[in-house]
Amino acid sequence: MKIDLHSHTTQSDGALTPQELVMRAQQMQVDVLAITDHDTIAGIAQAKEYAKQYAPKLSVLSGVEISTRWHGFEIHVLGLNVDEQDATFLARLGEQQQKREDRSLTIIDKLQKAGIDIELSEVKARAKGVVSRGHFAQVLVSKNICSHPQQAFTQFLGKDKKAYATPKWIDLATAVQWIKEAKGQAVLAHPYHYDMTTKWLRRLLTDFKAAGGEAMEVQHSNLAKPKHDMMVSLALEYGLLASAGSDFHAPSRWTELGKRLQLPDTISPIWHDWQHLNENIRES
């Protein structure tokens, strides 16, 4: 089975609507897809309803990617199989969305001080859901200030650049608590992407495990084998289950839904006790 547990829609910084993402997953023959937009679960109901009608063989899981701060690093935690009807969880995500709004205003102020005239309405026009730095990058490209989105980050929006605003996210343990109280499973997102030494990564895994985290992503469509092997080794060492996700944002030659996400038999996947899913695996 093709299982992809990390993807985004236009409700955060993805290029496809929830319905289009479901269509893309079906085209790529994905069997299980978790939608994990940044600090929102707004697209899940639309995706599930659409899949029920037009992609009945696709299992769409309720997920979210929560932004946190940990020792100066921005760390993302996935919540899989969260209860999207949980009122407390929705209110908590609303707090995160307000922090995104506050950060956006700070970014605009810094851009204006750098001589770039930009309004929040322009950025929100690009976002169908929560506002991200990616939407700012789109506006900077549309104004011909940057030639491509990556330049917007390297010149303005990236850490320590002119318009970088330090986000006031919740801490790592709080994110795990929120997810568990919403009946979900907490997964450390893309630990191989953080700009930190192995020593710091081990410290992160120690704190994540102590907070109640259950799994970590060990596979990505473009992850080199040595890095993948290291992630598997660390997951085994720290007693974490394995997860795999493309972190899909848009169709490209580099990243695709369900592509190269197989896990080795040496480690237990996060779905090892998902009864419904494992019944489908046995049948297939």
Side-chain angles (χ1 to χ4, degrees):
M1 295 185 77
K2 276 191 177 182
I3 300 173
D4 193 333
L5 301 181
H6 192 162
S7 66
H8 297 273
T9 76
T10 48
Q11 289 299 323
S12 61
D13 56 351
L16 304 183
T17 66
Q19 294 87 345
E20 290 169 340
L21 184 68
V22 167
M23 290 173 60
R24 186 75 182 183
Q26 184 179 42
Q27 290 167 1
M28 301 309 299
Q29 299 181 312
V30 173
D31 299 287
V32 181
L33 178 70
I35 295 178
T36 54
D37 279 315
H38 294 283
D39 300 308
T40 181
I41 54 175
I44 293 170
Q46 301 170 50
K48 286 187 174 182
E49 185 61 34
Y50 189 84
K52 187 186 300 183
Q53 294 185 54
Y54 301 105
K57 292 184 178 180
L58 174 66
S59 295
V60 177
L61 304 184
S62 304
V64 67
E65 184 169 10
I66 298 179
S67 305
T68 78
R69 294 289 291 177
W70 177 84
H71 292 284
F73 294 98
E74 181 170 332
I75 304 296
H76 292 176
V77 181
L78 299 179
L80 298 181
N81 291 312
V82 292
D83 179 4
E84 68 260 39
Q85 305 299 325
D86 187 301
T88 299
F89 190 54
L90 290 171
R92 287 168 166 173
L93 292 181
E95 295 172 14
Q96 286 283 93
Q97 291 159 24
Q98 182 57 54
K99 289 174 182 176
R100 284 183 172 274
E101 181 96 357
D102 295 342
R103 180 179 68 165
S104 295
L105 293 172
T106 302
I107 291 173
I108 285 173
D109 182 58
K110 291 191 172 188
L111 284 172
Q112 289 177 342
K113 287 178 179 176
I116 298 171
D117 185 24
I118 187 172
E119 300 294 335
L120 183 59
S121 58
E122 296 177 82
V123 183
K124 285 190 170 183
R126 299 268 173 176
K128 294 181 174 63
V130 296
V131 173
S132 72
R133 285 182 295 165
H135 298 118
F136 277 92
Q138 292 174 24
V139 173
L140 291 173
V141 171
S142 72
K143 289 175 172 286
N144 295 317
I145 294 165
C146 298
S147 57
H148 51 82
Q150 187 55 45
Q151 184 189 355
F153 280 88
T154 56
Q155 190 171 346
F156 297 104
L157 304 171
K159 191 172 183 179
D160 299 325
K161 303 304 178 182
K162 296 178 183 177
Y164 180 75
T166 302
K168 295 179 173 59
W169 303 130
I170 56 174
D171 61 43
L172 186 72
T174 299
V176 173
Q177 176 191 342
W178 286 7
I179 290 165
K180 293 174 78 70
E181 290 181 358
K183 303 180 178 65
Q185 293 172 286
V187 180
L188 184 64
H190 41 66
Y192 37 79
H193 281 170
Y194 299 124
D195 185 17
M196 62 175 65
T197 64
T198 303
K199 181 179 178 180
W200 273 100
L201 178 56
R202 286 180 175 278
R203 188 172 176 181
L204 171 61
L205 294 176
T206 298
D207 287 357
F208 180 69
K209 177 72 174 182
E214 296 181 51
M216 60 182 273
E217 288 189 324
V218 303
Q219 185 62 297
H220 178 270
S221 305
N222 298 311
L223 192 62
K225 189 176 187 304
K227 186 65 71 72
H228 161 69
D229 291 346
M230 178 184 175
M231 293 301 111
V232 170
S233 176
L234 286 170
L236 288 168
E237 179 181 342
Y238 286 88
L240 294 168
L241 300 171
S243 189
S246 61
D247 195 6
F248 180 88
H249 286 77
S252 75
R253 60 183 294 191
W254 307 112
T255 305
E256 187 53 84
L257 288 170
K259 180 182 177 183
R260 294 182 60 219
L261 296 178
Q262 293 79 12
L263 295 178
D265 295 334
T266 55
I267 191 166
S268 295
I270 190 170
W271 58 83
H272 78 100
D273 62 351
W274 295 357
Q275 185 175 355
H276 174 68
L277 174 58
N278 287 312
E279 287 174 355
N280 290 343
I281 290 175
R282 287 193 293 270
E283 291 172 2
S284 61

